[in-house]
Amino acid sequence: MQFITKLRWFFRERWLFYVLTVLLMAGTSYLNSVAPLLIGNTIDRIQSGSLTKEGLGQTVGLLFGIAILMYILVYIWNNLLFGSSVLLDKLLRERLFQHWTRMTPSFFQRNRSGELMALASNDIQAVSNTAGFGVLTIVNTVVITTIVVVSMIVFVSFKLMVAALLPLPLLALAINRLGKAMRNRFLVAQESFGRMNDHVLESISGMRVLRSYVQEEKDIEAFERVTTDVMDKNIKVAYVNALFQPAISSIVGISFAIGIGYGSYLVFRNEISLGELVTFNIYLGLLIWPMIAFGEFINILQRGNASVNRIESNLEQQADLVEPANPVNVPLPEVIAFRDLTFRYPTAHAASLQHITLTIERGETIGIVGRTGSGKSTLLKQLLRQYPLGSGELLVSHTPIEQISLGKLKGWIGYVPQEHQLLSRTIRDNIALGRPEANDDEVAQAIEMASLDKDLAQMKEGLQTMVGENGVMLSGGQKQRISIARALLVDPEILILDDALSAVDARTEHAILQQIRSNREGRTTLIATHRLTAVTHAHRIIVLDGGQIIEEGTHEQLMAQEGWYQEQFDRQKLEQSLLALEKEGT
């Protein structure tokens, strides 16, 4: 069975629990089959006049004892079975989350967030149901059916059993057809649910933009169309699901009709007694649940198979980057060297970096500037190892970066990206993300270096202020400075600021850069920016255009070259002067 094959790692670990569950369920089913025999014997004894008070008391007491014992057994196997299904739910969520944390950006480009949420919620729930309620239904079907059929043959009549169960092949045919339809429609419904999750995520994260363009009503209409599609797809699933019970009930009804009709005929011919007919019909009633359970099992199994295939397909996707088999031990990043490096994103047609050759000594501050789309962020991301390298080499302390452990490499780096990702926690939690064990003095120093102390003083709850979903309660500049403080707190060997000062004013920018210069002496800092005043202090500045280095040198050297840097610097100084004059005029 495909479901068991894909989850064999779990069933191998929990096999003993499932064996005990099956044995206890078998015991329960056996006890359940004893009661009809006792009732039939009692009826025959009443009919023959041989029933005594003591005999009736013994039968009633035995029935009570069976009921109590069944209660205990059912309680135990319920805990064993559904405890295992809850554990599977937990383990699958952990596997998915661990898998996603190891994935590179290209994985999240291929898989929508809403689809991942659907996997972690609906699909895992469907798999868990199959491992719990699905196992219950199939075991009940097999065990109860076997015990009841054997009891019919041994205690009543083989001929009556065969006649009453003749409609069962029709049940198998109906369930097979309905099961295939259920699986197909369930897959379509899950995909629709994923699209709805995507819409919700995009709407919530982009709420400010929607409101600024007065698009709330249109977004509500679009969401209504998405939810209507989800509803329609699930209604189609419900249509198929609704056909299971009527099909089973109809076939069970035919079996009962045969059992009563042909059984009465056998009683009149004295081939079976009245008590045996009653016993047989009680047995036949016991088969109703296994028949219904079998239909439910096929329904649940089809959903579980569809979901486990979706989960396994996601887990089988490999990261673009893997840990080196034999990582080289590099104590410190003494030198970073790009050697004729050319890089193209997996989905791009043109190279984003072309023939980059650059050497960075430990302790240097390097400024990276250039027009929008020139490759500044792409150059910095080569150190983050988010994508496989292209042609050429990237060496750290004369060692190819591919031979260095990813964990060690990332441990050297403090990265402040353009898109500031904050958790829906307190400001302190966000700053201490990389060093949760940091004490208050260390956090305060990072806050001071990021020039965030004055802002915190104006907040009623200070460091315990909740930032809201992705920092919705904060300004753009405050988000940037929290991200900078987070990076500074880990005191990284390599600090990467990717346009991380764009939302702060010139005075705050100067204060932050001054703190970085005075506190990070002897450590490497890389600053990509559009505002050239942020890199005038750098040991070297490189100018990118079209993914190539077109200028390189100190601020003074680049100004003397009278190239793009000098032209852009003068333009920005002029713009600042004009803005200052406008402020004075007002």
Side-chain angles (χ1 to χ4, degrees):
M1 187 186 294
Q2 189 180 45
F3 181 84
I4 294 177
T5 301
K6 290 190 177 291
L7 292 175
R8 58 182 177 273
W9 57 271
F10 175 74
F11 291 114
R12 190 183 299 121
E13 179 183 334
R14 301 284 294 183
W15 70 270
L16 182 59
F17 292 87
Y18 278 100
V19 168
L20 287 173
T21 299
V22 172
L23 291 175
L24 290 173
M25 291 174 73
T28 304
S29 299
Y30 173 75
L31 291 173
N32 206 29
S33 70
V34 173
L37 184 61
L38 293 174
I39 293 171
N41 289 337
T42 302
I43 291 173
D44 284 340
R45 290 162 69 186
I46 291 172
Q47 190 178 25
S48 63
S50 60
L51 180 66
T52 63
K53 181 178 180 182
E54 292 77 11
L56 179 61
Q58 289 177 356
T59 301
V60 172
L62 189 55
L63 289 172
F64 269 115
I66 289 172
I68 294 170
L69 184 56
M70 284 179 62
Y71 177 88
I72 296 171
L73 294 180
V74 170
Y75 175 80
I76 295 172
W77 68 248
N78 259 286
N79 276 284
L80 290 173
L81 178 61
F82 292 103
S84 294
S85 71
V86 171
L87 176 62
L88 177 59
D89 187 297
K90 172 182 178 292
L91 292 176
L92 283 176
R93 291 186 201 280
E94 288 178 352
R95 289 187 74 183
L96 274 177
F97 189 75
Q98 290 171 4
H99 177 67
W100 294 343
T101 57
R102 291 193 295 266
M103 291 298 101
T104 50
S106 58
F107 171 85
F108 297 99
Q109 291 170 2
R110 295 191 303 268
N111 298 274
R112 306 189 315 269
S113 298
E115 187 70 15
L116 298 179
M117 289 179 63
L119 287 174
S121 53
N122 282 15
D123 283 300
I124 286 183
Q125 186 62 50
V127 173
S128 176
N129 283 341
T130 307
F133 192 67
V135 172
L136 164 65
T137 54
I138 189 60
V139 171
N140 269 343
T141 298
V142 173
V143 173
I144 292 178
T145 301
T146 302
I147 291 175
V148 169
V149 168
V150 170
S151 299
M152 285 178 171
I153 296 171
V154 173
F155 300 118
V156 186
S157 167
F158 176 76
K159 292 192 297 185
L160 183 57
M161 182 275 297
V162 172
L165 299 185
L166 277 176
L168 284 184
L170 295 175
L171 177 64
L173 179 63
I175 286 175
N176 182 55
R177 295 273 182 92
L178 293 173
K180 289 179 180 178
M182 171 64 72
R183 181 180 184 278
N184 294 334
R185 294 192 180 191
F186 182 71
L187 280 172
V188 173
Q190 286 297 84
E191 291 173 0
S192 180
F193 182 76
R195 288 193 293 272
M196 182 185 72
N197 281 344
D198 271 333
H199 189 105
V200 173
L201 287 171
E202 290 171 358
S203 296
I204 292 174
S205 60
M207 189 58 67
R208 287 181 176 179
V209 177
L210 288 172
R211 287 177 176 172
S212 63
Y213 284 92
V214 197
Q215 293 297 304
E216 298 96 327
E217 292 299 325
K218 289 187 177 179
D219 191 58
I220 290 171
E221 292 172 5
F223 184 67
E224 185 177 354
R225 289 193 294 272
V226 172
T227 53
T228 300
D229 182 62
V230 174
M231 179 186 70
D232 291 341
K233 298 293 192 305
N234 279 286
I235 285 175
K236 290 180 179 179
V237 173
Y239 283 157
V240 176
N241 189 37
L243 291 173
F244 275 95
Q245 184 103 15
I248 293 168
S249 298
S250 300
I251 294 169
V252 168
I254 295 172
S255 291
F256 263 112
I258 294 173
I260 292 292
Y262 186 54
S264 299
Y265 170 77
L266 294 177
V267 170
F268 287 131
R269 294 193 57 179
N270 292 321
E271 292 189 27
I272 62 173
S273 67
L274 178 62
E276 288 174 334
L277 177 60
V278 172
T279 297
F280 181 85
N281 278 282
I282 295 175
Y283 280 146
L284 201 56
L286 292 178
L287 286 179
I288 295 176
W289 161 243
M291 290 181 181
I292 295 174
F294 186 64
E296 286 295 321
F297 170 71
I298 297 299
N299 180 0
I300 292 169
L301 180 62
Q302 292 298 342
R303 295 188 184 205
N305 272 335
S307 292
V308 79
N309 285 336
R310 281 161 51 85
I311 292 170
E312 285 298 313
S313 176
N314 189 273
L315 289 172
E316 286 169 2
Q317 297 184 48
Q318 298 297 317
D320 296 334
L321 302 170
V322 294
E323 284 283 351
N326 299 298
V328 177
N329 183 25
V330 179
L332 289 172
E334 299 289 352
V335 181
I336 300 170
F338 296 80
R339 293 286 182 264
D340 195 32
L341 181 67
T342 296
F343 173 80
R344 177 176 64 84
Y345 286 104
T347 57
H349 298 292
S352 299
L353 296 175
Q354 301 182 58
H355 307 294
I356 298 294
T357 297
L358 175 67
T359 301
I360 304 169
E361 299 287 343
R362 186 182 181 213
E364 282 191 310
T365 296
I366 305 296
I368 304 170
V369 299
R371 64 183 83 248
T372 300
S374 60
K376 300 185 297 297
S377 296
T378 303
L379 178 62
L380 294 175
K381 287 177 181 177
Q382 300 309 298
L383 287 171
L384 299 173
R385 299 282 286 135
Q386 294 182 346
Y387 297 93
L389 288 179
S391 61
E393 291 183 306
L394 175 52
L395 309 175
V396 178
S397 293
H398 311 292
T399 302
I401 197 169
E402 303 97 315
Q403 297 179 15
I404 300 174
S405 165
L406 291 173
K408 186 159 198 173
L409 181 65
K410 292 174 182 178
W412 286 333
I413 297 173
Y415 176 51
V416 185
Q418 296 179 32
E419 306 83 13
H420 304 285
Q421 297 296 323
L422 301 182
L423 305 177
S424 299
R425 301 178 188 172
T426 65
I427 291 177
R428 192 192 193 287
D429 288 339
N430 274 280
I431 293 174
L433 180 64
R435 281 188 61 201
E437 74 283 359
N439 58 44
D440 292 342
D441 291 338
E442 291 170 328
V443 172
Q445 183 181 4
I447 290 170
E448 183 181 355
M449 291 173 65
S451 293
L452 188 63
D453 44 350
K454 292 181 180 178
D455 295 74
L456 283 175
Q458 297 174 1
M459 297 179 185
K460 183 178 179 181
E461 297 181 15
L463 280 172
Q464 299 308 311
T465 301
M466 297 295 296
V467 304
E469 184 73 24
N470 200 24
V472 69
M473 303 299 294
L474 306 173
S475 68
Q478 289 170 336
K479 292 180 190 178
Q480 284 191 334
R481 282 174 286 160
I482 288 175
S483 297
I484 292 170
R486 174 194 294 165
L488 292 173
L489 182 62
V490 299
D491 194 21
E493 281 292 330
I494 304 170
L495 176 64
I496 298 178
L497 302 178
D498 188 1
D499 204 17
L501 299 167
S502 57
V504 300
D505 57 71
R507 182 176 298 176
T508 304
E509 175 193 272
H510 177 76
I512 294 172
L513 292 173
Q514 184 63 37
Q515 288 278 7
I516 290 174
R517 282 200 299 272
S518 59
N519 286 277
R520 285 189 51 78
E521 187 175 351
R523 298 184 182 236
T524 306
T525 303
L526 307 178
I527 305 173
T529 182
H530 287 285
R531 192 183 294 168
L532 302 189
T533 54
V535 293
T536 54
H537 68 287
H539 295 93
R540 270 182 301 146
I541 303 167
I542 64 170
V543 181
L544 292 176
D545 188 26
Q548 296 179 308
I549 298 176
I550 59 171
E551 299 177 39
E552 182 177 357
T554 63
H555 170 70
E556 292 76 15
Q557 290 170 342
L558 292 177
M559 290 297 290
Q561 290 180 20
E562 298 184 353
W564 182 91
Y565 181 88
Q566 183 264 336
E567 179 184 345
Q568 190 69 12
F569 186 84
D570 288 343
R571 181 182 289 115
Q572 289 185 7
K573 290 292 285 185
L574 179 60
E575 289 173 354
Q576 291 175 5
S577 299
L578 291 174
L579 286 172
L581 288 173
E582 286 180 7
K583 288 182 180 179
E584 289 179 5
T586 56

